[in-house]
Coordinates of all heavy atoms in Angstrom, one line a residue:
S1 N 19.5 21.7 -1.4 CA 20.6 21.7 -2.5 C 20.1 20.9 -3.6 O 19.2 20.0 -3.5 CB 21.8 20.9 -1.8 OG 21.6 19.7 -1.6
D2 N 20.7 21.1 -4.6 CA 20.4 20.3 -6.0 C 20.7 18.7 -5.7 O 19.9 17.8 -6.1 CB 21.1 20.7 -7.1 CG 20.6 22.1 -7.7 OD1 19.6 22.5 -7.1 OD2 21.4 22.6 -8.7
A3 N 21.7 18.4 -5.0 CA 22.0 17.1 -4.6 C 21.0 16.5 -3.7 O 20.6 15.3 -3.9 CB 23.3 17.1 -3.9
A4 N 20.3 17.2 -2.9 CA 19.3 16.6 -2.0 C 18.0 16.4 -2.7 O 17.5 15.3 -2.4 CB 19.0 17.8 -0.8
I5 N 17.7 17.1 -3.6 CA 16.4 16.9 -4.3 C 16.6 15.7 -5.3 O 15.7 14.9 -5.4 CB 15.9 18.0 -5.1 CG1 14.5 17.8 -5.7 CG2 16.8 18.3 -6.2 CD1 13.8 19.1 -6.3
A6 N 17.9 15.6 -5.9 CA 18.1 14.5 -6.8 C 18.1 13.2 -6.0 O 17.6 12.2 -6.4 CB 19.4 14.7 -7.5
A7 N 18.9 13.1 -4.9 CA 18.9 11.9 -4.0 C 17.6 11.5 -3.4 O 17.4 10.3 -3.4 CB 20.0 12.2 -2.9
N8 N 16.8 12.5 -3.0 CA 15.6 12.2 -2.4 C 14.7 11.7 -3.6 O 13.8 10.8 -3.3 CB 14.9 13.4 -2.0 CG 13.7 13.1 -1.1 OD1 13.5 12.3 -0.2 ND2 12.5 13.7 -1.7
S9 N 14.9 12.1 -4.8 CA 14.1 11.6 -5.9 C 14.4 10.1 -6.1 O 13.4 9.3 -6.3 CB 14.3 12.5 -7.1 OG 13.6 11.9 -8.3
V10 N 15.7 9.7 -6.1 CA 16.0 8.3 -6.3 C 15.6 7.4 -5.1 O 15.0 6.5 -5.4 CB 17.5 8.3 -6.5 CG1 18.0 6.8 -6.5 CG2 18.0 9.0 -7.7
A11 N 15.7 7.9 -3.9 CA 15.4 7.1 -2.7 C 13.9 6.9 -2.7 O 13.4 5.8 -2.4 CB 16.0 7.7 -1.5
T12 N 13.2 8.0 -3.0 CA 11.7 7.9 -2.8 C 11.2 7.1 -4.1 O 10.1 6.3 -3.8 CB 11.1 9.4 -3.1 OG1 11.7 10.1 -2.0 CG2 9.7 9.3 -2.9
T13 N 11.8 7.0 -5.2 CA 11.3 6.2 -6.2 C 11.4 4.8 -5.9 O 10.4 4.0 -6.0 CB 12.3 6.5 -7.6 OG1 12.0 7.8 -8.0 CG2 11.9 5.5 -8.5
F14 N 12.5 4.2 -5.4 CA 12.6 2.9 -4.9 C 11.7 2.5 -3.7 O 11.1 1.4 -3.7 CB 14.0 2.5 -4.7 CG 14.8 2.5 -6.0 CD1 15.9 3.3 -6.2 CD2 14.6 1.5 -7.0 CE1 16.7 3.3 -7.3 CE2 15.3 1.4 -8.2 CZ 16.4 2.4 -8.3
Y15 N 11.6 3.5 -2.8 CA 10.8 3.3 -1.6 C 9.3 3.0 -2.2 O 8.6 2.1 -1.7 CB 10.8 4.4 -0.8 CG 9.8 4.5 0.4 CD1 9.9 3.7 1.4 CD2 8.7 5.4 0.3 CE1 9.0 3.7 2.6 CE2 7.7 5.4 1.4 CZ 7.9 4.6 2.4 OH 7.1 4.7 3.5
Q16 N 8.8 4.1 -3.1 CA 7.5 3.9 -3.6 C 7.4 2.7 -4.4 O 6.3 2.1 -4.4 CB 7.2 5.1 -4.5 CG 7.2 6.5 -3.7 CD 5.9 6.5 -2.8 OE1 5.1 5.8 -2.9 NE2 6.0 7.6 -2.0
Y17 N 8.4 2.2 -5.0 CA 8.3 0.9 -5.8 C 8.0 -0.2 -5.0 O 7.1 -1.2 -5.4 CB 9.7 0.7 -6.6 CG 9.6 0.0 -7.9 CD1 9.5 0.9 -9.0 CD2 9.5 -1.3 -8.0 CE1 9.3 0.2 -10.4 CE2 9.5 -2.0 -9.2 CZ 9.3 -1.3 -10.3 OH 9.2 -1.8 -11.6
L18 N 8.6 -0.3 -3.8 CA 8.2 -1.4 -2.9 C 6.9 -1.2 -2.1 O 6.2 -2.1 -1.8 CB 9.4 -1.6 -1.9 CG 10.7 -2.1 -2.5 CD1 11.7 -2.4 -1.4 CD2 10.6 -3.5 -3.2
K19 N 6.6 0.0 -2.0 CA 5.4 0.5 -1.4 C 4.1 -0.2 -2.1 O 3.0 -0.3 -1.5 CB 5.3 1.9 -1.1 CG 4.1 2.4 -0.4 CD 4.1 3.8 -0.3 CE 2.6 4.3 0.5 NZ 2.6 5.8 0.6
V20 N 4.2 -0.3 -3.3 CA 3.1 -0.9 -4.2 C 2.6 -2.2 -3.6 O 1.4 -2.5 -3.6 CB 3.5 -1.1 -5.6 CG1 4.0 0.2 -6.3 CG2 4.6 -2.2 -5.8
F21 N 3.5 -3.0 -2.8 CA 3.0 -4.4 -2.3 C 2.2 -3.9 -1.1 O 1.3 -4.6 -0.8 CB 4.2 -5.2 -2.0 CG 5.1 -5.7 -3.1 CD1 6.2 -5.0 -3.5 CD2 4.5 -6.8 -3.8 CE1 6.9 -5.4 -4.6 CE2 5.3 -7.2 -5.0 CZ 6.5 -6.5 -5.3
V22 N 2.5 -2.9 -0.4 CA 1.7 -2.5 0.8 C 0.5 -1.8 0.5 O -0.6 -2.2 1.0 CB 2.6 -1.4 1.6 CG1 1.8 -0.9 3.0 CG2 4.0 -2.1 2.1
Q23 N 0.5 -1.1 -0.7 CA -0.6 -0.6 -1.3 C -1.6 -1.7 -1.7 O -2.8 -1.5 -1.6 CB -0.4 0.3 -2.6 CG -1.5 1.0 -3.1 CD -2.2 2.1 -2.3 OE1 -1.4 3.0 -1.8 NE2 -3.4 2.0 -2.0
A24 N -1.1 -2.6 -2.3 CA -1.9 -3.9 -2.8 C -2.7 -4.5 -1.5 O -3.8 -4.7 -1.6 CB -1.1 -4.9 -3.5
M25 N -2.0 -4.7 -0.5 CA -2.6 -5.2 0.8 C -3.6 -4.3 1.2 O -4.5 -4.7 1.8 CB -1.4 -5.5 1.8 CG -1.8 -6.3 2.9 SD -2.2 -8.0 2.4 CE -3.0 -8.6 3.9
T26 N -3.3 -3.0 1.2 CA -4.2 -2.0 1.7 C -5.5 -2.0 0.8 O -6.6 -2.1 1.3 CB -3.8 -0.6 1.7 OG1 -2.5 -0.5 2.3 CG2 -4.7 0.5 2.1
N27 N -5.4 -2.1 -0.5 CA -6.5 -2.2 -1.4 C -7.4 -3.5 -1.2 O -8.6 -3.3 -1.2 CB -6.2 -2.1 -2.8 CG -5.5 -0.7 -3.2 OD1 -5.6 0.2 -2.6 ND2 -4.7 -0.7 -4.3
V28 N -6.8 -4.5 -1.1 CA -7.3 -5.8 -1.0 C -8.1 -6.1 0.4 O -9.1 -6.4 0.4 CB -6.4 -7.0 -1.2 CG1 -7.2 -8.3 -1.1 CG2 -5.9 -6.9 -2.6
S29 N -7.3 -5.5 1.5 CA -8.0 -5.5 2.8 C -9.3 -4.6 2.9 O -10.2 -5.1 3.4 CB -7.0 -4.9 3.8 OG -5.8 -5.7 3.8
A30 N -9.2 -3.6 2.2 CA -10.5 -2.9 2.1 C -11.7 -3.5 1.5 O -12.8 -3.5 1.9 CB -10.3 -1.4 1.4
V31 N -11.3 -4.2 0.4 CA -12.3 -4.9 -0.3 C -12.9 -6.1 0.5 O -14.0 -6.3 0.7 CB -11.7 -5.4 -1.7 CG1 -12.8 -6.4 -2.3 CG2 -11.4 -4.4 -2.6
M32 N -12.0 -6.9 1.2 CA -12.3 -8.1 1.8 C -13.0 -7.7 3.1 O -14.0 -8.5 3.5 CB -11.1 -9.0 2.1 CG -10.4 -9.5 0.8 SD -9.3 -10.8 1.0 CE -10.4 -12.2 1.3
I33 N -12.6 -6.6 3.9 CA -13.3 -6.3 5.1 C -14.8 -5.7 4.6 O -15.8 -6.0 5.4 CB -12.6 -5.3 5.9 CG1 -11.3 -5.8 6.5 CG2 -13.5 -4.5 6.8 CD1 -11.7 -7.0 7.4
G34 N -14.9 -5.0 3.5 CA -16.2 -4.5 3.1 C -17.0 -5.6 2.7 O -18.3 -5.6 3.1
N35 N -16.5 -6.7 2.1 CA -17.4 -7.9 1.6 C -17.8 -8.6 2.9 O -19.0 -8.9 3.0 CB -16.6 -8.7 0.8 CG -16.3 -8.3 -0.6 OD1 -15.4 -8.8 -1.4 ND2 -17.1 -7.3 -1.0
A36 N -17.0 -8.6 3.8 CA -17.3 -9.4 5.1 C -18.4 -8.6 5.9 O -19.3 -9.2 6.4 CB -16.0 -9.5 6.1
I37 N -18.3 -7.3 6.0 CA -19.3 -6.5 6.6 C -20.6 -6.6 5.9 O -21.7 -6.7 6.6 CB -18.8 -5.0 6.7 CG1 -17.7 -4.9 7.7 CG2 -20.1 -4.1 7.3 CD1 -17.1 -3.6 7.7
G38 N -20.6 -6.6 4.5 CA -21.8 -6.7 3.7 C -22.4 -8.1 4.0 O -23.7 -8.3 4.1
R39 N -21.7 -9.1 4.3 CA -22.2 -10.6 4.6 C -22.9 -10.5 6.1 O -23.7 -11.4 6.3 CB -21.2 -11.6 4.5 CG -20.9 -11.8 3.0 CD -19.9 -13.1 2.9 NE -18.7 -12.9 3.4 CZ -17.6 -12.4 2.8 NH1 -17.7 -12.2 1.4 NH2 -16.4 -12.4 3.2
G40 N -22.1 -9.7 7.1 CA -22.8 -9.6 8.4 C -22.4 -10.4 9.5 O -23.1 -10.4 10.6
S41 N -21.2 -11.2 9.4 CA -20.9 -12.0 10.5 C -19.9 -11.2 11.4 O -18.6 -11.0 10.8 CB -20.3 -13.3 10.1 OG -19.7 -14.0 11.3
L42 N -20.0 -10.8 12.6 CA -19.2 -9.9 13.3 C -17.9 -10.8 13.7 O -16.7 -10.3 13.6 CB -19.9 -9.4 14.6 CG -18.9 -8.5 15.4 CD1 -18.5 -7.3 14.9 CD2 -19.7 -8.1 16.8
D43 N -18.1 -12.0 14.2 CA -16.9 -12.8 14.5 C -15.9 -13.0 13.3 O -14.7 -13.0 13.5 CB -17.4 -14.2 15.1 CG -17.9 -14.1 16.5 OD1 -17.5 -13.1 17.1 OD2 -18.8 -15.0 16.7
R44 N -16.5 -13.3 12.2 CA -15.7 -13.5 10.9 C -15.0 -12.1 10.5 O -13.9 -12.1 10.2 CB -16.6 -13.9 9.8 CG -15.8 -14.2 8.6 CD -14.8 -15.1 8.8 NE -13.9 -15.4 7.5 CZ -14.1 -16.3 6.6 NH1 -15.1 -17.0 6.6 NH2 -13.2 -16.2 5.6

């Protein structure tokens, strides 16, 4: 329905808005783990 696509657009917009914090954590995690692997300490 037209109402379904409009409502989903609104809900998804705000969900994606908060998801940016999760995306930030994802991006930073990849960098920090990559740096750690480059340095070579398995325990760390």
Side-chain angles (χ1 to χ4, degrees):
S1 69
D2 287 354
I5 192 171
N8 184 61
S9 173
V10 172
T12 302
T13 295
F14 288 117
Y15 170 78
Q16 295 288 349
Y17 212 94
L18 291 182
K19 186 182 175 181
V20 299
F21 296 99
V22 180
Q23 182 68 54
M25 192 64 188
T26 304
N27 294 341
V28 175
S29 295
V31 172
M32 299 196 71
I33 289 298
N35 290 167
I37 293 174
R39 288 190 295 267
S41 170
L42 183 61
D43 285 336
R44 180 57 189 268

